[in-house]
Amino acid sequence: MRAITAEGLVKVYRTRSSEVRALDGVDLEVEQGTVVGLLGPNGAGKTTAVRILATLLRPDAGRATVAGFDVVRQAQEVRSVIGLSGQYAAVDENLTGRENLWMFGRLYQLPSGESTRRAGELLEQFDLTDAGDRVVKTYSGGMRRRLDLASALIGRPRLLFLDEPTTGLDPRSRLGMWDVIRSLVREGVTLLLTTQYLEEADELADSIAVIDHGRIIARGTADELKSQVGGERIEVVVHDRADLPRAEEVLARDGSGQWTLDEHTRKLTVPATGGTAKLVEIVRDLDLAGVVIDDISLRRPTLDDVFLTLTGHGAEDDARETAGPGAAA
Amino acid sequence: MNRILADTLIVTWRNLKRIPRIPELAIFAILQSIMFVVLFAFVFGGAIPLPGGGSYREYLMPGIFAQTIVFAAATTAIGMADDIHKGLLDRFRSLPMARTAVLSGRMASDVVYNAGILVVLMVSGFVVGWKLNTGIPELLAGIALLLLFAFAMSSIGVLLGLGVPSVEVAQQVGFTVLFPITFISNVFVPPSTLPDWLQPIAEWNPTSTLTAATRELWGNPNPFVGTGLPAEEPVLVTIVWAIVIIAITLPLGVRRYRNMSR
Ligand SMILES: Nc1ncnc2c1ncn2[C@@H]1O[C@H](COP(=O)(O)OP(=O)(O)O)[C@@H](O)[C@H]1O
Ligand SMILES: [Mg+2]
């Protein structure tokens, strides 16, 4: 049995002045015991999709099942097998960590003793034992996120939804959160994870669905997606902004695809076949054209390249990346 | 049914826990009422003659209690809006709990909270010269009526709190609507001193009927002019008011809660 299925999910938010088509026909399948990463930039529709699957929101069209239960007609059954940790920590600031977990356990319909025991276990597992009897108001952002995730796990859900679990965390807390998520996966939970970070999806997910403007625009394993974009990349950081047009000309000639420019860092990227020989050729041609460079490197494609190829814009910041002529076709 | 009760109790427990942890909320609620007592008992009171005589302070205190209870709507609305804003309502809605326990728990805890505030205000009332001229049964009946009304106001608060975009708006709406309602009444001045066109409004105002009902129950001065139903049967009219308010706003609030998934 598939843990999650979704067919043709549509959600339109209507406000007085506008209509936003947040989901525009999303299909999704998640196999039991796997991790699927829903990857997309801000506003792509990730949270909306998760909220529909977690029964918080009704779709305007389409249908979805979670653990075999229909998310609209059997919402209560769905709720008793899922755990949800949203984009912002949803815990009660005026309760202690332990009280929060106990309360959510009771509302998950665990008996009181079981709730207490489970709260203790989770505090330990999430390294919150010392802070467990302090009110959450005194917690750091990272601690709140851990408590939020612990709250989602209180009823030992078979299926877990994590909406941007590391957004806003410092790099160290992020690595810690990754470890926690990996250990959950080892225990066999099925996980749907949303993220804006390509690296994170690559790191945690078995397969990835790329979402943009409410549509799934690609799916596959990280490797499959990368191969879709073709071979290696050469990156050139130009020293002087004035040299950019000439450098672009060189890359258009020597590269094997469209170049892209990151204005901010003066970094030009171009797909290239021929490995180091091509690298040498480009260095020479840039030199001949009188372009001074700060850095040049050869690298394997990242998921960021995937996004750029699929959508014509970068995943993390639309404004920063400008594609070369013709790239957006 | 069992689950509804159990989950309601848990949500109530959780709401009550916060009271001692943010004592400012309760303290300022009490201070606001005491400020009105001081202002009217000591500053304006001397200039307000009661038709038929009697002690102004004895007259004032039941009005202060009623005013405090009317503000239960704001307390509930703010609590509801805060839970939405902090994402807690979403967490509750993702759990296999009795759905309406979030609302019933909120209303139950707010009634308990208001009962506590009422006790503090009654003690303060005794200090400034309020008296109970009847017996304990009447005292308890008056308190029950106040709490029934608190429940009705909480029901309005649920509807309001689920409908506003932010906690600040809940605060604003609460106070800009509730203050005039408590003032166009018999709380501070006898309605006979109001302009003619305002008098029927003040008489039928549930704040007035609640105030008149407790004044009547406790034997405090109750110079309610006019011979209309609210003047003659304030207890009955107050109970009807409470039932009508609950019958209208509670289903609407529950519906609004269910429609959050729209
Ligand atoms: N409650 C809402 N009312 C109106 N528009 C909304 C609402 N929630 C989200 N949106 C819009 O729907 C789109 C998708 O949002 P969301 O699902 O939150 O995306 P993501 O989680 O990928 O950032 C965005 O354009 C967002 O502005
Ligand atoms: Mg989101």
Side-chain angles (χ1 to χ4, degrees):
Chain A
M1 188 182 62
R2 295 228 161 75
I4 301 175
T5 65
E7 282 166 37
L9 292 183
V10 172
K11 183 72 199 177
V12 181
Y13 292 112
R14 290 185 180 81
T15 58
R16 243 162 289 161
S17 55
S18 66
E19 251 191 32
V20 179
R21 215 171 169 79
L23 293 185
D24 193 13
V26 165
D27 301 325
L28 198 65
E29 278 180 3
V30 178
E31 299 290 338
Q32 203 112 44
T34 64
V35 181
V36 169
L38 190 58
L39 169 70
N42 226 336
K46 302 182 296 296
T47 298
T48 305
V50 166
R51 287 173 67 83
I52 288 175
L53 295 173
T55 78
L56 296 182
L57 207 59
R58 276 175 202 220
D60 293 326
R63 59 185 294 275
T65 65
V66 168
F69 300 116
D70 187 281
V71 294
V72 175
R73 281 180 293 109
Q74 296 169 295
Q76 202 69 339
E77 285 87 343
V78 171
R79 292 180 193 121
S80 54
V81 295
I82 63 166
L84 168 66
S85 176
Q87 199 169 345
Y88 306 98
V91 285
D92 192 327
E93 293 192 311
N94 299 301
L95 298 183
T96 67
R98 195 181 301 279
E99 286 166 346
N100 265 290
L101 291 172
W102 180 83
M103 168 177 71
F104 293 132
R106 292 292 288 128
L107 295 176
Y108 208 95
Q109 310 301 318
L110 302 181
S112 183
E114 165 81 5
S115 244
T116 308
R117 211 164 40 75
R118 203 56 199 127
E121 272 172 31
L122 284 165
L123 287 174
E124 184 136 341
Q125 185 183 344
F126 285 84
D127 208 12
L128 290 168
T129 308
D130 291 339
D133 294 311
R134 273 188 2 226
V135 285
V136 171
K137 236 186 288 192
T138 65
Y139 285 21
S140 69
M143 290 163 80
R144 279 177 202 223
R145 292 299 278 267
R146 293 208 300 278
L147 181 65
D148 189 74
L149 181 52
S151 307
L153 295 173
I154 191 84
R156 298 184 191 282
R158 282 190 271 153
L159 236 143
L160 194 57
F161 297 101
L162 299 182
D163 193 10
E164 302 199 19
T166 65
T167 299
L169 293 187
D170 59 70
R172 229 187 72 208
S173 309
R174 170 172 299 174
L175 291 180
M177 190 57 100
W178 283 3
D179 281 340
V180 168
I181 293 172
R182 280 195 201 96
S183 68
L184 291 174
V185 171
R186 273 196 300 277
E187 287 165 26
V189 281
T190 305
L191 172 61
L192 180 69
L193 163 104
T194 80
T195 181
Q196 297 188 42
Y197 305 112
L198 305 159
E199 191 194 357
E200 186 162 280
D202 197 359
E203 198 65 40
L204 298 173
D206 299 316
S207 70
I208 297 172
V210 184
I211 185 171
D212 192 39
H213 297 300
R215 287 171 176 276
I216 304 287
I217 54 170
R219 64 187 89 219
T221 63
D223 285 338
E224 281 164 4
L225 289 177
K226 282 177 190 167
S227 71
Q228 210 172 323
V229 190
E232 299 171 314
R233 293 290 193 281
I234 287 174
E235 284 178 353
V236 180
V237 179
V238 176
H239 181 74
D240 191 344
R241 203 169 290 277
D243 288 343
L244 280 172
R246 267 175 296 150
E248 284 162 4
E249 240 171 73
V250 170
L251 293 188
R253 200 169 58 232
D254 291 352
S256 56
Q258 263 312 318
W259 53 266
T260 58
L261 168 66
D262 184 339
E263 291 276 4
H264 204 65
T265 55
R266 301 180 313 279
K267 185 165 77 186
L268 284 159
T269 304
V270 73
T273 47
T276 46
K278 178 60 83 180
L279 186 71
V280 173
E281 185 188 334
I282 289 181
V283 171
R284 203 185 50 225
D285 288 349
L286 286 171
D287 199 33
L288 282 175
V291 177
V292 183
I293 59 173
D294 284 343
D295 194 16
I296 185 162
S297 59
L298 182 70
R299 63 165 174 79
R300 307 234 311 119
T302 66
L303 286 172
D304 218 351
D305 300 317
V306 174
F307 219 90
L308 218 48
T309 310
L310 291 169
T311 67
H313 61 80
E316 271 153 26
D317 189 344
D318 287 16
R320 221 173 62 199
E321 307 257 3
T322 32
Chain B
M1 200 61 218
N2 224 339
R3 182 191 275 198
I4 294 181
L5 192 64
D7 290 351
T8 299
L9 284 175
I10 290 160
V11 176
T12 306
W13 166 86
R14 169 253 165 177
N15 292 342
L16 290 176
K17 274 266 166 184
R18 73 186 279 132
I19 295 172
R21 292 185 183 165
I22 333 177
E24 299 84 0
L25 288 181
I27 291 171
F28 278 103
I30 291 166
L31 279 183
Q32 180 190 303
S33 297
I34 289 184
M35 188 192 74
F36 276 111
V37 174
V38 170
L39 213 57
F40 280 87
F42 299 97
V43 183
F44 304 132
I48 301 171
L50 295 182
S55 147
Y56 180 75
R57 290 177 196 179
E58 243 187 74
Y59 166 85
L60 175 66
M61 284 317 295
I64 295 287
F65 303 151
Q67 188 195 35
T68 306
I69 289 304
V70 168
F71 276 101
T75 309
T76 303
I78 292 166
M80 227 47 236
D82 193 48
D83 279 355
I84 295 175
H85 176 70
K86 302 253 166 76
L88 271 160
L89 219 65
D90 281 347
R91 162 135 280 148
F92 287 139
R93 294 197 312 125
S94 78
L95 291 170
M97 62 184 284
R99 304 228 73 194
T100 47
V102 176
L103 310 187
S104 51
R106 165 66 57 191
M107 292 171 71
S109 63
D110 282 351
V111 169
V112 173
Y113 168 76
N114 281 298
I117 294 209
L118 210 52
V119 168
V120 176
L121 286 181
M122 286 187 156
V123 172
S124 321
F126 279 121
V127 174
V128 299
W130 173 62
K131 278 204 301 282
L132 176 66
N133 298 315
T134 52
I136 297 296
E138 287 83 0
L139 177 68
L140 295 180
I143 292 175
L145 200 58
L146 284 163
L147 294 183
L148 170 69
F149 206 75
F151 191 78
M153 292 311 285
S154 265
S155 170
I156 295 179
V158 164
L159 186 62
L160 184 64
L162 290 174
V164 293
S166 72
V167 181
E168 289 73 23
V169 176
Q171 254 152 354
Q172 284 297 327
V173 174
F175 289 99
T176 44
V177 174
L178 296 175
F179 259 113
I181 288 178
T182 63
F183 269 87
I184 303 170
S185 73
N186 62 357
V187 168
F188 300 104
V189 294
S192 53
T193 61
L194 294 172
D196 282 349
W197 61 273
L198 262 185
Q199 284 194 20
I201 298 176
E203 271 178 45
W204 281 96
N205 181 343
T207 321
S208 297
T209 65
L210 178 61
T211 305
T214 50
R215 281 176 186 152
E216 186 177 286
L217 283 166
W218 300 334
N220 298 132
N222 185 24
F224 214 134
V225 289
T227 49
L229 193 60
E232 281 165 6
E233 296 288 350
V235 176
L236 183 71
V237 174
T238 304
I239 291 173
V240 171
W241 256 123
I243 290 171
V244 168
I245 290 173
I246 293 168
I248 292 172
T249 57
L250 198 54
L252 288 177
V254 170
R255 201 178 71 170
R256 191 171 273 182
Y257 178 65
R258 293 191 191 284
N259 282 352
M260 286 184 81
S261 56
R262 281 284 160 79

